[in-house]
Amino acid sequence: MLRQQTSTLIREYGTGEVKRNNKRYPHYLNFYDIPPMDNISIEEFEKFALDRLQVLKALEAATLRNKPENEVKEHLQELSKQYLPMHSNDSERVYPLDEERRKDHVSHFILRLAYCRSEELRSWFLKYEYILFKLRYLTVSTKERQEFLNHQNLTWKILSRSDKDMMKADLQAASPHVVVDTETFFEVEFEKVLDMVARRSVHLRGGTAYVPISDQVTLVMDEFKNRLAKALEITAKEFPKLDEDDRIMPILNNINRYYLGNSFANSTKVTGNITAFDVDRLVEHFPLCMRHLHRKLRDDKHLKHYGRMQYNLFLKGIGLPLEEALIFWRKSFSKFSDEQFQKNYAYNVRHNYGMEGKRVNYTPYKYVYPESKPAVKIHFAHFETNGSCSKIINNNQPGPEEHHGCPFRHFSEESLRVTLASVGVRNDAYIREIINLVRNKHYQVACTRYYEITRGGERGMMDTIEHPNHFFEQSYKLSIKQGDS
Ligand code: SF4
């Protein structure tokens, strides 16, 4: 399965020109009914999966932030160029269409495997694949759309003129946005358009729904959604029967938690190196998770293991060098003697900086395969050890007396309200908005709204917060721009 597949791409190396070659994938659109039968390398497997995930996550961020459809489309085009380029058959320039579509096809199925494993994952994947397909569908020419629909046998019987005249009043009542006289209507079994039936946006008679041609996109999208939902259910049932390949299983089991952004490993970009004495002055730029840890550290003169680790990695990311980190932690743990500090805590600080133990610089996640398998290093660069929001939110739930974690995820509603008010979010409407996002489990979006509200910005002023150091950098840069730092 993991043998490198011979590329079907035809290249003219002399001129660097890539010939169009879309015999294998004649259509730009794909319902992903047939799984790919290729052998692919482990490198392609991971790269394809991550690249598609970048696109779906960007769609998620844009959707949760209520960005208008045209902005989402533009953003998608930009991202697609980088991660998942796709061109239609009538593109003016020549592109390696088969290669692009193969990547689209294979990457969809890899993520389908990864996201079939729970109801929550299935519904996430379905939602953002649906949006991706819809944006593509709306972008491609009518001719290409029709060719694709014909290929899929998605053609619907057209309502005859005489029947249309007979039902004119009912059709108009159900579809007030069209002019019945000039509109074409399809006859569709009502089970195929349940969403439209539920919205009462089609005329229904004797088990047949009459759908205006201008709503054809809804028919196609319903078809896409129904097919993918069924396919995900089937994949979920088959998943446990898959061979336990220890090269791909770690990817499939964890991919939904990968963090794809900046690692902020040595992020001294905005502040330069800082000293132990700068930390208090910078707290105003910290996200709530780090403000909370800082306050608890000051109150208790101690933090438990995961709190120290979360906060230490963050401080490292904002530019605190190891020597200064040791001073910071020593002074903060003032209720302990030097000996106790050296014995119980200094090691962990140095360990986070890669100076103890296996000397791992705590950023890139590296997975080394067992010796019996080819040792392929997975460079899911920022997974697990780097303190991204998704790691903080999903791993190591805080227990009693522990203060790590994400306030939006781990605080009670009441504590969160009090905390928000204490950091300046006093407007009831804002608090309600944030609490609603939290109730719907959009913790990072809630954090982003908190950022926007407290920095006097408009909704959408920044991308969704993915990493506490991302929050810090944005806040610090903004203060420099405003000339108050
Ligand atoms: S969303 Fe991220 S940055 Fe914001 S509070 Fe939670 S963990 Fe911290």
Side-chain angles (χ1 to χ4, degrees):
M1 175 189 176
L2 299 169
R3 250 184 308 127
Q4 177 69 49
Q5 185 228 14
T6 308
S7 171
T8 55
L9 179 68
I10 300 170
R11 286 181 190 277
E12 290 183 353
Y13 287 104
T15 61
E17 183 193 1
V18 181
K19 278 188 179 175
R20 175 175 296 168
N21 173 19
N22 60 328
K23 294 197 177 80
R24 195 168 160 218
Y25 292 100
H27 303 289
Y28 170 80
L29 298 166
N30 195 335
F31 270 160
Y32 311 105
D33 286 326
I34 302 168
M37 300 303 284
D38 296 351
N39 292 328
I40 67 165
S41 68
I42 187 76
E43 289 86 356
E44 262 191 334
F45 189 90
E46 63 167 333
K47 180 163 174 35
F48 283 13
L50 274 189
D51 283 354
R52 191 177 197 88
L53 199 56
Q54 288 275 14
V55 173
L56 297 186
K57 291 240 172 184
L59 288 178
E60 177 190 32
T63 310
L64 293 176
R65 316 296 314 287
N66 291 327
K67 294 212 168 167
E69 193 168 288
N70 58 338
E71 269 184 47
V72 179
K73 253 191 213 163
E74 274 170 32
H75 191 46
L76 176 68
Q77 271 164 5
E78 279 308 304
L79 267 172
S80 294
K81 267 187 215 157
Q82 198 180 343
Y83 296 108
L84 203 56
M86 286 283 281
H87 294 92
S88 61
N89 292 345
D90 54 8
S91 304
E92 283 175 8
R93 294 180 52 198
V94 276
Y95 294 100
L97 300 185
D98 257 351
E99 188 183 40
E100 291 177 353
R101 293 168 190 185
R102 172 180 172 265
K103 180 175 180 181
D104 176 60
H105 185 206
V106 174
S107 63
H108 169 93
F109 273 90
I110 297 173
L111 290 193
R112 188 189 285 189
L113 275 179
Y115 277 79
C116 71
R117 294 168 299 119
S118 73
E119 185 56 49
E120 194 175 349
L121 290 176
R122 286 194 291 276
S123 100
W124 186 91
F125 183 68
L126 184 59
K127 179 170 180 185
Y128 295 105
E129 282 288 328
Y130 175 93
I131 295 175
L132 178 61
F133 182 88
K134 185 172 179 187
L135 289 172
R136 286 176 174 174
Y137 185 84
L138 295 174
T139 310
V140 79
S141 71
T142 316
K143 177 173 168 277
E144 276 197 62
R145 259 186 231 167
Q146 204 48 55
E147 283 167 2
F148 171 72
L149 296 179
N150 292 343
H151 175 76
Q152 291 290 333
N153 285 329
L154 276 182
T155 45
W156 299 275
K157 190 177 167 207
I158 292 175
L159 181 65
S160 69
R161 179 83 229 180
S162 54
D163 285 348
K164 186 165 86 169
D165 288 343
M166 196 177 69
M167 290 186 261
K168 186 173 171 183
D170 292 331
L171 292 171
Q172 192 66 72
S175 310
H177 58 294
V178 304
V179 179
V180 171
D181 278 337
T182 52
E183 184 79 353
T184 302
F185 283 80
F186 295 125
E187 296 181 26
V188 184
E189 289 162 37
F190 84 97
E191 297 96 330
K192 296 207 164 155
V193 286
L194 287 178
D195 284 354
M196 294 178 95
V197 173
R199 288 197 305 272
R200 296 180 190 282
S201 62
V202 278
H203 174 50
L204 201 58
R205 202 178 72 164
T208 300
Y210 298 91
V211 182
I213 196 167
S214 51
D215 287 340
Q216 190 188 39
V217 60
T218 313
L219 290 175
V220 177
M221 293 315 305
D222 280 355
E223 188 73 26
F224 178 83
K225 191 157 103 185
N226 294 338
R227 287 191 196 190
L228 183 52
K230 263 189 218 144
L232 278 165
E233 296 287 345
I234 294 169
T235 314
K237 284 197 190 112
E238 295 299 315
F239 189 80
K241 298 180 201 159
L242 278 183
D243 282 347
E244 289 265 325
D245 187 316
D246 50 16
R247 289 164 297 174
I248 63 169
M249 276 304 163
I251 305 174
L252 296 178
N253 286 330
N254 293 301
I255 202 161
N256 58 303
R257 289 186 283 137
Y258 289 157
Y259 167 61
L260 306 168
N262 188 338
S263 71
F264 297 97
N266 300 300
S267 175
T268 55
K269 276 178 263 152
V270 295
T271 55
N273 274 0
I274 60 168
T275 72
F277 302 95
D278 290 324
V279 175
D280 286 287
R281 143 180 101 74
L282 293 171
V283 169
E284 62 178 298
H285 299 299
F286 291 4
L288 278 190
C289 51
M290 301 304 168
R291 280 179 94 116
H292 178 61
L293 282 168
H294 187 79
R295 190 165 61 76
K296 286 295 173 190
L297 177 62
R298 289 289 176 253
D299 289 351
D300 302 345
K301 302 183 177 25
H302 178 256
L303 284 178
K304 289 199 168 188
H305 174 76
Y306 287 120
R308 291 200 302 277
M309 178 139 176
Q310 181 175 322
Y311 196 31
N312 199 31
L313 289 174
F314 171 76
L315 293 175
K316 178 182 166 192
I318 72 170
L320 191 72
L322 174 59
E323 313 74 55
E324 292 295 326
L326 285 164
I327 296 170
F328 172 81
W329 287 102
R330 175 67 201 98
K331 286 180 73 61
S332 303
F333 276 46
S334 56
K335 66 182 182 186
F336 297 94
S337 69
D338 275 345
E339 196 188 342
Q340 284 171 319
F341 180 78
Q342 287 304 332
K343 191 170 153 213
N344 299 324
Y345 304 111
Y347 177 92
N348 280 136
V349 176
R350 287 198 294 270
H351 193 267
N352 291 162
Y353 278 76
M355 301 309 288
E356 296 285 0
K358 291 182 187 161
R359 300 194 172 242
V360 176
N361 189 1
Y362 271 69
T363 305
Y365 175 68
K366 293 189 175 87
Y367 184 85
V368 181
Y369 293 105
E371 284 181 3
S372 58
K373 299 280 179 181
V376 184
K377 186 167 63 181
I378 292 185
H379 34 83
F380 286 110
H382 313 307
F383 174 55
E384 284 299 342
T385 54
N386 65 351
S388 65
C389 294
S390 96
K391 189 200 167 191
I392 293 172
I393 288 168
N394 293 312
N395 294 13
N396 304 323
Q397 307 300 300
E401 317 271 306
E402 289 186 312
H403 305 298
H404 64 277
C406 169
F408 296 100
R409 166 69 182 85
H410 299 118
F411 279 16
S412 67
E413 238 178 73
E414 195 40 44
S415 302
L416 184 58
R417 277 177 206 279
V418 172
T419 305
L420 287 170
S422 76
V423 291
V425 187
R426 297 208 176 83
N427 178 314
D428 275 352
Y430 284 149
I431 293 189
R432 266 201 310 278
E433 185 186 348
I434 291 176
I435 297 287
N436 272 340
L437 286 165
V438 167
R439 283 183 186 160
N440 288 313
K441 300 188 180 172
H442 301 316
Y443 310 115
Q444 290 166 238
V445 182
C447 181
T448 312
R449 277 304 286 145
Y450 158 69
Y451 177 99
E452 289 167 345
I453 291 163
T454 49
R455 270 80 187 156
E458 295 299 314
R459 183 197 292 277
M461 79 186 268
M462 70 178 297
D463 292 337
T464 306
I465 300 287
E466 298 278 355
H467 197 295
N469 291 78
H470 175 208
F471 187 112
F472 172 81
E473 281 200 355
Q474 295 301 315
S475 176
Y476 189 81
K477 278 191 209 157
L478 185 69
S479 70
I480 292 173
K481 214 161 130 193
Q482 293 169 344
D484 64 1
S485 181

